[in-house]
């Protein structure tokens, strides 16, 4: 998990954790410790447990509460359990504050709210040349693809996450919304092309294993290249249908190149998400990306026809 995501979650829940104190009820002139709002705290603990650095602390607090009370919102505890509860709560608070302080120490001017941000997890690179090539292709995509250009909005570099290969792009302008919508549509088509790439690679490996005659092998390679061109063209057609037609052949060529570049790097492991603090309607444009291969009947039929 990227540092900013951990920071955002801790910043979002720290006040609740600070306010989650034990109440004390008076009964027979004695102060009885009382846990309140446990159901909401349990939800928060489940959220914070996604952060590896907090998993142990959240589990410790959760285990303090006996199973009998874990589905109850309020309950009394004895003094021993109260001490364990407050200690575990204090340890969790300190750990959360440590993450917040760490992020703010390396980002002295953190962005409180990024309404239209795009988080990109870069793939694992073998060398600096691959890293440079990826950034060069990202620059081409965001500066040359016609669907990602607007007079009213701009895609700008936002930040790089400390200690990771995450970068953030910001969409700024007077009319926020159009570019983020287009970017979501663009990424959706790139994901589909990337999935077909997985299928094509499987078919290439299959053809190699068959040890076909040279002329047959060349014919099948050409067929696979034609199919690759077709799926990119299909992606372009889908964008023109969803967003609107492009002006000329140059714009279509740039869009196809951008789609091919994005699909390639996504095939290498790149993932794209809406920033964690984006509104739901923006997050819906960038759904969780599953590694799915579309084994199309059309490709199999084309290869079988070519072999015959």
């Amino acid at each position: 998990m990227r540092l900013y995501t951990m920071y955002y979650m801790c910043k979002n829940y720290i006040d609740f954790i600070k306010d989650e104190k034990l109440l004390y009820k008076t009964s027979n002139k004695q102060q009885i410790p009382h846990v309140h709002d446990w159901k909401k705290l349990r939800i928060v603990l489940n959220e914070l447990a996604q952060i590896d650095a907090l998993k142990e602390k959240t589990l410790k607090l959760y285990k303090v509460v006996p199973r009998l009370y874990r589905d109850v919102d309020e309950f009394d505890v004895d003094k021993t359990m109260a001490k364990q509860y407050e200690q575990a709560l204090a340890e969790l608070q300190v750990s959360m504050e440590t993450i917040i302080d760490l992020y703010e120490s390396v980002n002295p001017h953190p962005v409180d709210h990024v309404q239209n941000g795009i988080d990109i997890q870069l793939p694992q690179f073998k060398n600096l040349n691959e890293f440079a090539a990826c950034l060069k292709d990202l620059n081409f995509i965001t500066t040359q693809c016609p669907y990602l250009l607007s007079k009213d909005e701009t895609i700008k570099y936002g930040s790089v996450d400390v200690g990771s290969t995450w970068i953030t792009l910001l969409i700024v302008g007077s009319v926020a919304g159009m570019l983020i919508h287009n970017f979501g549509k663009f990424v959706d088509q790139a994901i589909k092309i990337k999935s077909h790439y997985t299928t094509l690679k499987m078919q290439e490996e299959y053809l190699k294993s068959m040890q076909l005659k040279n002329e047959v092998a060349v014919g099948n390679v050409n067929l696979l290249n034609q199919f690759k061109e077709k799926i990119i063209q299909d992606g372009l057609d889908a964008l023109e249908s969803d967003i609107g037609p492009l002006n000329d052949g140059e714009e279509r060529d740039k869009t196809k190149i951008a789609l091919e570049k994005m699909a390639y790097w996504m095939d290498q492991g790149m993932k794209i998400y809406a920033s964690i603090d984006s509104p739901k309607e923006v997050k819906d444009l960038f759904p969780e990306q599953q590694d799915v291969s579309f084994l199309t009947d059309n490709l199999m039929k084309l290869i079988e026809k070519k072999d015959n």
Side-chain angles (χ1 to χ4, degrees), residues 143-160:
T143 62
Q144 297 297 317
C145 179
Y147 286 124
L148 304 182
L149 301 176
S150 170
K151 292 184 294 184
D152 300 315
E153 297 175 89
T154 307
I155 299 176
K156 299 179 64 176
Y157 166 76
S159 63
V160 59

PDB file of all heavy atoms in Angstrom, residues 143-160:
ATOM      1  N   THR A 143      -0.102  13.872 -23.210  1.00  0.00           N
ATOM      2  CA  THR A 143       0.097  15.132 -23.934  1.00  0.00           C
ATOM      3  C   THR A 143      -0.259  15.050 -25.413  1.00  0.00           C
ATOM      4  O   THR A 143      -0.364  16.086 -26.073  1.00  0.00           O
ATOM      5  CB  THR A 143       1.562  15.616 -23.820  1.00  0.00           C
ATOM      6  OG1 THR A 143       2.436  14.635 -24.414  1.00  0.00           O
ATOM      7  CG2 THR A 143       1.949  15.847 -22.372  1.00  0.00           C
ATOM      8  N   GLN A 144      -0.448  13.826 -25.941  1.00  0.00           N
ATOM      9  CA  GLN A 144      -0.697  13.675 -27.370  1.00  0.00           C
ATOM     10  C   GLN A 144      -2.048  13.036 -27.701  1.00  0.00           C
ATOM     11  O   GLN A 144      -2.563  13.261 -28.794  1.00  0.00           O
ATOM     12  CB  GLN A 144       0.420  12.831 -28.007  1.00  0.00           C
ATOM     13  CG  GLN A 144       1.794  13.466 -27.919  1.00  0.00           C
ATOM     14  CD  GLN A 144       1.884  14.785 -28.672  1.00  0.00           C
ATOM     15  OE1 GLN A 144       1.389  14.912 -29.781  1.00  0.00           O
ATOM     16  NE2 GLN A 144       2.510  15.776 -28.044  1.00  0.00           N
ATOM     17  N   CYS A 145      -2.594  12.235 -26.787  1.00  0.00           N
ATOM     18  CA  CYS A 145      -3.883  11.597 -27.077  1.00  0.00           C
ATOM     19  C   CYS A 145      -4.976  12.669 -27.113  1.00  0.00           C
ATOM     20  O   CYS A 145      -5.205  13.355 -26.101  1.00  0.00           O
ATOM     21  CB  CYS A 145      -4.212  10.535 -26.032  1.00  0.00           C
ATOM     22  SG  CYS A 145      -5.813   9.732 -26.323  1.00  0.00           S
ATOM     23  N   PRO A 146      -5.668  12.835 -28.223  1.00  0.00           N
ATOM     24  CA  PRO A 146      -6.677  13.899 -28.349  1.00  0.00           C
ATOM     25  C   PRO A 146      -7.770  13.847 -27.290  1.00  0.00           C
ATOM     26  O   PRO A 146      -8.275  14.889 -26.868  1.00  0.00           O
ATOM     27  CB  PRO A 146      -7.255  13.667 -29.748  1.00  0.00           C
ATOM     28  CG  PRO A 146      -6.186  12.959 -30.496  1.00  0.00           C
ATOM     29  CD  PRO A 146      -5.503  12.086 -29.489  1.00  0.00           C
ATOM     30  N   TYR A 147      -8.137  12.655 -26.849  1.00  0.00           N
ATOM     31  CA  TYR A 147      -9.199  12.533 -25.856  1.00  0.00           C
ATOM     32  C   TYR A 147      -8.760  13.021 -24.469  1.00  0.00           C
ATOM     33  O   TYR A 147      -9.602  13.220 -23.588  1.00  0.00           O
ATOM     34  CB  TYR A 147      -9.681  11.093 -25.754  1.00  0.00           C
ATOM     35  CG  TYR A 147     -10.523  10.658 -26.934  1.00  0.00           C
ATOM     36  CD1 TYR A 147     -10.181   9.547 -27.695  1.00  0.00           C
ATOM     37  CD2 TYR A 147     -11.680  11.363 -27.290  1.00  0.00           C
ATOM     38  CE1 TYR A 147     -10.950   9.140 -28.777  1.00  0.00           C
ATOM     39  CE2 TYR A 147     -12.453  10.962 -28.370  1.00  0.00           C
ATOM     40  CZ  TYR A 147     -12.084   9.856 -29.106  1.00  0.00           C
ATOM     41  OH  TYR A 147     -12.865   9.471 -30.187  1.00  0.00           O
ATOM     42  N   LEU A 148      -7.456  13.193 -24.270  1.00  0.00           N
ATOM     43  CA  LEU A 148      -6.942  13.626 -22.969  1.00  0.00           C
ATOM     44  C   LEU A 148      -6.418  15.056 -23.030  1.00  0.00           C
ATOM     45  O   LEU A 148      -5.624  15.477 -22.187  1.00  0.00           O
ATOM     46  CB  LEU A 148      -5.843  12.663 -22.496  1.00  0.00           C
ATOM     47  CG  LEU A 148      -6.256  11.189 -22.411  1.00  0.00           C
ATOM     48  CD1 LEU A 148      -5.104  10.345 -21.898  1.00  0.00           C
ATOM     49  CD2 LEU A 148      -7.492  11.014 -21.542  1.00  0.00           C
ATOM     50  N   LEU A 149      -6.865  15.791 -24.030  1.00  0.00           N
ATOM     51  CA  LEU A 149      -6.485  17.198 -24.194  1.00  0.00           C
ATOM     52  C   LEU A 149      -7.736  18.059 -24.142  1.00  0.00           C
ATOM     53  O   LEU A 149      -8.782  17.684 -24.664  1.00  0.00           O
ATOM     54  CB  LEU A 149      -5.756  17.413 -25.524  1.00  0.00           C
ATOM     55  CG  LEU A 149      -4.469  16.612 -25.745  1.00  0.00           C
ATOM     56  CD1 LEU A 149      -3.925  16.869 -27.150  1.00  0.00           C
ATOM     57  CD2 LEU A 149      -3.426  16.958 -24.698  1.00  0.00           C
ATOM     58  N   SER A 150      -7.636  19.218 -23.488  1.00  0.00           N
ATOM     59  CA  SER A 150      -8.772  20.122 -23.375  1.00  0.00           C
ATOM     60  C   SER A 150      -8.280  21.546 -23.155  1.00  0.00           C
ATOM     61  O   SER A 150      -7.238  21.758 -22.515  1.00  0.00           O
ATOM     62  CB  SER A 150      -9.681  19.695 -22.212  1.00  0.00           C
ATOM     63  OG  SER A 150     -10.660  20.676 -21.937  1.00  0.00           O
ATOM     64  N   LYS A 151      -9.019  22.509 -23.666  1.00  0.00           N
ATOM     65  CA  LYS A 151      -8.666  23.909 -23.444  1.00  0.00           C
ATOM     66  C   LYS A 151      -8.961  24.325 -22.004  1.00  0.00           C
ATOM     67  O   LYS A 151      -8.333  25.244 -21.480  1.00  0.00           O
ATOM     68  CB  LYS A 151      -9.459  24.807 -24.409  1.00  0.00           C
ATOM     69  CG  LYS A 151      -9.072  24.656 -25.870  1.00  0.00           C
ATOM     70  CD  LYS A 151      -9.817  25.632 -26.749  1.00  0.00           C
ATOM     71  CE  LYS A 151     -11.303  25.319 -26.771  1.00  0.00           C
ATOM     72  NZ  LYS A 151     -12.047  26.203 -27.713  1.00  0.00           N
ATOM     73  N   ASP A 152      -9.903  23.641 -21.352  1.00  0.00           N
ATOM     74  CA  ASP A 152     -10.335  24.034 -20.013  1.00  0.00           C
ATOM     75  C   ASP A 152      -9.689  23.224 -18.894  1.00  0.00           C
ATOM     76  O   ASP A 152      -9.760  23.623 -17.727  1.00  0.00           O
ATOM     77  CB  ASP A 152     -11.857  23.909 -19.904  1.00  0.00           C
ATOM     78  CG  ASP A 152     -12.585  24.786 -20.910  1.00  0.00           C
ATOM     79  OD1 ASP A 152     -12.186  25.963 -21.044  1.00  0.00           O
ATOM     80  OD2 ASP A 152     -13.513  24.292 -21.567  1.00  0.00           O
ATOM     81  N   GLU A 153      -9.103  22.092 -19.227  1.00  0.00           N
ATOM     82  CA  GLU A 153      -8.503  21.231 -18.208  1.00  0.00           C
ATOM     83  C   GLU A 153      -7.128  20.756 -18.673  1.00  0.00           C
ATOM     84  O   GLU A 153      -6.851  20.682 -19.877  1.00  0.00           O
ATOM     85  CB  GLU A 153      -9.378  20.007 -17.937  1.00  0.00           C
ATOM     86  CG  GLU A 153     -10.745  20.309 -17.376  1.00  0.00           C
ATOM     87  CD  GLU A 153     -11.571  19.044 -17.246  1.00  0.00           C
ATOM     88  OE1 GLU A 153     -11.487  18.391 -16.189  1.00  0.00           O
ATOM     89  OE2 GLU A 153     -12.281  18.702 -18.201  1.00  0.00           O
ATOM     90  N   THR A 154      -6.283  20.408 -17.696  1.00  0.00           N
ATOM     91  CA  THR A 154      -4.940  19.930 -17.993  1.00  0.00           C
ATOM     92  C   THR A 154      -4.588  18.772 -17.065  1.00  0.00           C
ATOM     93  O   THR A 154      -4.912  18.807 -15.878  1.00  0.00           O
ATOM     94  CB  THR A 154      -3.891  21.048 -17.813  1.00  0.00           C
ATOM     95  OG1 THR A 154      -4.275  22.185 -18.575  1.00  0.00           O
ATOM     96  CG2 THR A 154      -2.515  20.566 -18.276  1.00  0.00           C
ATOM     97  N   ILE A 155      -3.929  17.763 -17.612  1.00  0.00           N
ATOM     98  CA  ILE A 155      -3.380  16.685 -16.788  1.00  0.00           C
ATOM     99  C   ILE A 155      -1.951  17.064 -16.414  1.00  0.00           C
ATOM    100  O   ILE A 155      -1.099  17.246 -17.279  1.00  0.00           O
ATOM    101  CB  ILE A 155      -3.387  15.342 -17.546  1.00  0.00           C
ATOM    102  CG1 ILE A 155      -4.822  14.952 -17.912  1.00  0.00           C
ATOM    103  CG2 ILE A 155      -2.758  14.235 -16.686  1.00  0.00           C
ATOM    104  CD1 ILE A 155      -4.920  13.693 -18.745  1.00  0.00           C
ATOM    105  N   LYS A 156      -1.707  17.214 -15.116  1.00  0.00           N
ATOM    106  CA  LYS A 156      -0.405  17.651 -14.641  1.00  0.00           C
ATOM    107  C   LYS A 156       0.191  16.605 -13.704  1.00  0.00           C
ATOM    108  O   LYS A 156      -0.529  15.849 -13.045  1.00  0.00           O
ATOM    109  CB  LYS A 156      -0.518  18.995 -13.905  1.00  0.00           C
ATOM    110  CG  LYS A 156      -1.040  20.139 -14.766  1.00  0.00           C
ATOM    111  CD  LYS A 156      -1.150  21.421 -13.970  1.00  0.00           C
ATOM    112  CE  LYS A 156       0.222  21.901 -13.505  1.00  0.00           C
ATOM    113  NZ  LYS A 156       0.131  23.198 -12.814  1.00  0.00           N
ATOM    114  N   TYR A 157       1.514  16.589 -13.644  1.00  0.00           N
ATOM    115  CA  TYR A 157       2.203  15.735 -12.676  1.00  0.00           C
ATOM    116  C   TYR A 157       1.908  16.250 -11.276  1.00  0.00           C
ATOM    117  O   TYR A 157       2.014  17.445 -10.990  1.00  0.00           O
ATOM    118  CB  TYR A 157       3.700  15.751 -12.954  1.00  0.00           C
ATOM    119  CG  TYR A 157       4.531  15.174 -11.839  1.00  0.00           C
ATOM    120  CD1 TYR A 157       4.604  13.805 -11.644  1.00  0.00           C
ATOM    121  CD2 TYR A 157       5.235  16.007 -10.967  1.00  0.00           C
ATOM    122  CE1 TYR A 157       5.364  13.269 -10.617  1.00  0.00           C
ATOM    123  CE2 TYR A 157       5.999  15.491  -9.944  1.00  0.00           C
ATOM    124  CZ  TYR A 157       6.058  14.119  -9.767  1.00  0.00           C
ATOM    125  OH  TYR A 157       6.800  13.602  -8.748  1.00  0.00           O
ATOM    126  N   GLY A 158       1.507  15.352 -10.378  1.00  0.00           N
ATOM    127  CA  GLY A 158       1.192  15.757  -9.018  1.00  0.00           C
ATOM    128  C   GLY A 158       2.308  15.470  -8.040  1.00  0.00           C
ATOM    129  O   GLY A 158       2.887  16.368  -7.435  1.00  0.00           O
ATOM    130  N   SER A 159       2.653  14.180  -7.895  1.00  0.00           N
ATOM    131  CA  SER A 159       3.685  13.807  -6.933  1.00  0.00           C
ATOM    132  C   SER A 159       4.102  12.370  -7.174  1.00  0.00           C
ATOM    133  O   SER A 159       3.468  11.633  -7.924  1.00  0.00           O
ATOM    134  CB  SER A 159       3.156  13.948  -5.499  1.00  0.00           C
ATOM    135  OG  SER A 159       2.077  13.052  -5.280  1.00  0.00           O
ATOM    136  N   VAL A 160       5.193  11.983  -6.505  1.00  0.00           N
ATOM    137  CA  VAL A 160       5.611  10.584  -6.485  1.00  0.00           C
ATOM    138  C   VAL A 160       5.574  10.143  -5.040  1.00  0.00           C
ATOM    139  O   VAL A 160       5.965  10.890  -4.136  1.00  0.00           O
ATOM    140  CB  VAL A 160       7.026  10.401  -7.084  1.00  0.00           C
ATOM    141  CG1 VAL A 160       8.062  11.211  -6.321  1.00  0.00           C
ATOM    142  CG2 VAL A 160       7.414   8.929  -7.116  1.00  0.00           C
TER     143      VAL A 160
END
